[in-house]
Amino acid sequence: MSTQNAIVVENIGRTYTSSKGVFKRTHNTITALNDVSLSVPHGELFGLLGPNGAGKTTLTKILTTILLPTSGRAEVLGLDVAKDFAKLRPRIGIIFGGERGLYWRLSGQENMEYFASLYKVPPAVAKERIPQLLKRVGLSGRENERVEGYSRGMKQRLHIARGLIHDPDILFLDEPTIGLDPVAARDLRLVIRELQAAGKTIFLTSHYMFEMDELCDRVAVLKKGKILQIATPKAMKDIVADLEVVEVECYGASAEMVNALRAHDAVSTVNIKTRDQTQLLEIQARDGASHVQDFLACLGDIRVKKVTNRQPTLEDAYIKMMEADA
């Protein structure tokens, strides 16, 4: 496997066997991952998208040595996740969303000291590193308070600091902003960007499309245990370039005008909504922004109140991929 990549996954499969029934038990094989392959270069922020049950958590657990694959192999930092787990674990950081994994009756400082000792960080290094990390995640001044009194956002910040206490080469973030209020989630995204800027490789799973779009260099879409696509967020949005929407708020658009819009070569659909005495024309078109003048010409000299343009989102691309693979 290549040493140019922090993560290399080759044909990974993972199946489970479930049983049901009391007197006559039946067994079913469930495929969580099916022939998954991907690679993540050093320093990349790589995102994994997929619906519930797609296999995101299973893949993350395999890469973090928590779970063994049924078939295939994977390396993280050049180490085989199944054979070299003892060498690999001290070099990775795992941060899960939610509030588990912290000791609530201890202070933030005491939690950090405990995990430093767990990872065998030398006391002198821990003494210097702990206040630096707490400052980095915005917990300076609150480190001596019990974690049970922390807000959810503060607990998640402490999770980030805890995951960095042994200075890992790679971070696995599983739904890190789940359940956070918008301000706390934004602040946590800033910390994630700073970590990447500092040279950390980051493997991120999330349900929040805008978050993946904002943070990730590349994104993999996983469905029913299979990779549908791996690309940059921009490349994925290019798939749905025809979903760009130009909204024209106007007065008195006639049926003939609307038909002229629908006849335009770039236009896919035109929807009409009425708001009080105004009309809202939603024009879905490929590269719609460049055709705005054409659209307005179709409307003649009627009064136009406002024109806005909405670019396709990563969510649009994701939904299209899910529907295409249904």
Side-chain angles (χ1 to χ4, degrees), residues 127-292:
K127 185 176 180 180
E128 181 179 357
R129 187 175 292 167
I130 288 172
Q132 292 175 348
L133 289 174
L134 291 173
K135 181 179 180 181
R136 189 176 205 172
V137 299
L139 289 177
S140 291
R142 309 292 298 271
E143 63 270 26
N144 293 319
E145 298 176 21
R146 281 189 178 184
V147 170
E148 63 186 357
Y150 280 11
S151 67
R152 186 161 189 166
M154 291 171 66
K155 289 171 185 171
Q156 198 62 0
R157 288 167 182 264
L158 186 59
H159 269 299
I160 295 282
R162 174 191 62 81
L164 293 169
I165 188 61
H166 56 303
D167 193 25
D169 297 303
I170 183 168
L171 281 172
F172 291 88
L173 308 181
D174 190 16
E175 306 281 356
T177 61
I178 190 168
L180 298 186
D181 65 77
V183 174
R186 180 197 60 194
D187 291 344
L188 199 56
R189 288 194 295 272
L190 287 173
V191 173
I192 293 171
R193 280 198 293 266
E194 289 171 0
L195 292 172
Q196 188 198 17
K200 299 294 183 186
T201 303
I202 299 174
F203 189 92
L204 170 69
T205 69
S206 176
H207 283 296
Y208 301 138
M209 303 295 165
F210 72 93
E211 186 168 271
M212 304 294 264
D213 194 0
E214 178 183 336
L215 292 174
C216 295
D217 298 311
R218 289 186 305 142
V219 174
V221 177
L222 193 65
K223 182 180 181 181
K224 295 179 181 179
K226 290 186 175 182
I227 295 285
L228 299 185
Q229 185 170 10
I230 301 175
T232 65
K234 182 183 183 304
M236 287 191 178
K237 288 184 286 187
D238 286 344
I239 298 171
V240 287
D242 58 333
L243 296 183
E244 185 173 346
V245 174
V246 176
E247 293 185 347
V248 180
E249 194 170 347
C250 60
Y251 300 87
S254 65
E256 290 77 13
M257 294 174 181
V258 173
N259 288 335
L261 285 171
R262 287 175 174 147
H264 193 286
D265 290 342
V267 173
S268 299
T269 60
V270 179
N271 295 316
I272 307 171
K273 297 179 181 178
T274 302
R275 295 177 179 173
D276 298 326
Q277 296 181 346
T278 65
Q279 294 167 305
L280 181 67
L281 307 181
E282 293 181 341
I283 307 165
Q284 183 177 305
R286 177 172 290 276
D287 197 19
S290 66
H291 297 292
V292 169

Side-chain angles (χ1 to χ4, degrees), residues 267-321:
V267 173
S268 299
T269 60
V270 179
N271 295 316
I272 307 171
K273 297 179 181 178
T274 302
R275 295 177 179 173
D276 298 326
Q277 296 181 346
T278 65
Q279 294 167 305
L280 181 67
L281 307 181
E282 293 181 341
I283 307 165
Q284 183 177 305
R286 177 172 290 276
D287 197 19
S290 66
H291 297 292
V292 169
Q293 292 303 318
D294 291 348
F295 300 157
L296 294 179
C298 292
L299 297 175
D301 59 357
I302 67 170
R303 182 182 169 193
V304 174
K305 183 178 179 182
K306 184 170 64 173
V307 178
T308 57
N309 181 57
R310 184 180 75 79
Q311 297 292 325
T313 65
L314 186 61
E315 183 175 9
D316 293 326
Y318 173 81
I319 290 172
K320 186 168 184 176
M321 280 186 271

